[in-house]
Amino acid sequence: MTDTPAHDEPHDTGLGARLNWLRAAVLGANDGVVSTAGLVVGVAGATDDRGTLLTAGLAGLLAGSMSMAAGEYVSVSTQRDSEKAALAMEKRELQETPEAELAELTGLLEGKGLSREVAREAAVQLTERDALRAHAEVELGIDPDDLTNPWHAAGASFLAFTAGALLPLLAIVLPPSSLRLPVTVLSVLAALAVTGWWSARLGDAAVGPAVLRNMGGGAVAMAVTYAAGELRGAAGV
């Protein structure tokens, strides 16, 4: 007798959402690395005073993390409001035109490859069990029990940006003045290589081009801001 191999593939409906959160965290950390590195390297082009570098880096870290958190909160709040409005409309339609909604659900299931008869039977059973949930998931792609949370999104963005920003900040203020710039540049490029690799893996994209693009963008940002700082220092402004 041939044993049937076990099918251990996980079927987690929250996997896609968690991947999106992880991708957002990686990108937030990447933004923290690049923006703060550009800021402190630019200031380093004008002065080697540790206190000035620390002040500029902290200001950039706080401004960037708060901006990211506020922007994410507003964005996700808007999305949540849209989800609630769609669910409220669906609930009203189910109360006012239940037969039309049943026909609509049947059509949606049929569009997923089910025969007309099977789709109708499935629609009836789903409607009897929980009509609003059925329409929310099949028609709207929304889980009524797991709406997007703006506070979670804001907190995640704040923490991700802060984690990324700490690297160039510490790299520019901790080493001796003669080593600050090379240590910062190398640390930032290494961090960007890691975030580029992660973002490529999460998106099932080619790793090499993603890493090179990420490192190249960071290198250009630091070069431009350093040149601006050098010009400011040379001009004595």
Side-chain angles (χ1 to χ4, degrees):
M1 182 176 64
T2 303
D3 292 333
T4 302
H7 185 63
D8 295 328
E9 180 184 355
H11 295 280
D12 188 345
T13 56
L15 180 59
R18 286 201 296 273
L19 285 176
N20 286 336
W21 279 107
L22 185 55
R23 185 178 293 109
V26 171
L27 295 177
N30 191 80
D31 287 343
V33 171
V34 174
S35 61
T36 306
L39 176 61
V40 296
V41 167
V43 175
T47 179
D48 62 356
D49 180 68
R50 191 187 304 270
T52 301
L53 292 170
L54 179 60
T55 300
L58 283 174
L61 183 154
L62 292 173
S65 59
M66 293 302 295
S67 176
M68 287 283 290
E72 196 70 12
Y73 179 83
V74 171
S75 174
V76 175
S77 292
T78 301
Q79 179 183 345
R80 186 182 179 89
D81 290 343
S82 298
E83 291 173 343
K84 286 183 174 181
L87 289 172
M89 178 180 293
E90 199 63 43
K91 185 176 181 179
R92 185 171 64 251
E93 290 175 347
L94 285 167
Q95 293 172 344
E96 296 174 353
T97 57
E99 287 301 321
E101 290 300 298
L102 179 60
E104 181 182 33
L105 183 57
T106 299
L108 290 169
L109 293 173
E110 190 177 3
K112 293 180 178 293
L114 299 179
S115 67
R116 181 68 179 177
E117 294 76 14
V118 173
R120 175 72 180 187
E121 178 61 26
V124 169
Q125 292 188 23
L126 288 171
T127 299
E128 290 175 349
R129 181 178 303 169
D130 190 334
L132 180 58
R133 174 177 293 279
H135 281 266
E137 294 180 349
V138 177
E139 180 181 348
L140 305 175
I142 297 174
D143 182 350
D145 297 328
D146 190 26
L147 299 182
T148 52
N149 189 313
W151 289 108
H152 290 172
S157 294
F158 180 90
L159 292 175
F161 188 96
T162 300
L166 281 174
L167 179 93
L169 175 58
L170 295 176
I172 202 73
V173 299
L174 292 182
S177 58
S178 60
L179 297 176
R180 285 173 188 163
L181 194 59
V183 167
T184 301
V185 170
L186 291 176
S187 299
V188 166
L189 292 179
L192 293 178
V194 173
T195 56
W197 179 84
W198 262 110
S199 62
R201 290 296 302 272
L202 291 171
D204 291 326
V207 171
V211 169
L212 290 177
R213 283 196 301 266
N214 217 33
M215 294 176 66
V220 169
M222 288 186 289
V224 169
T225 56
Y226 182 77
E230 278 277 298
L231 289 175
R232 179 266 177 201
V237 177

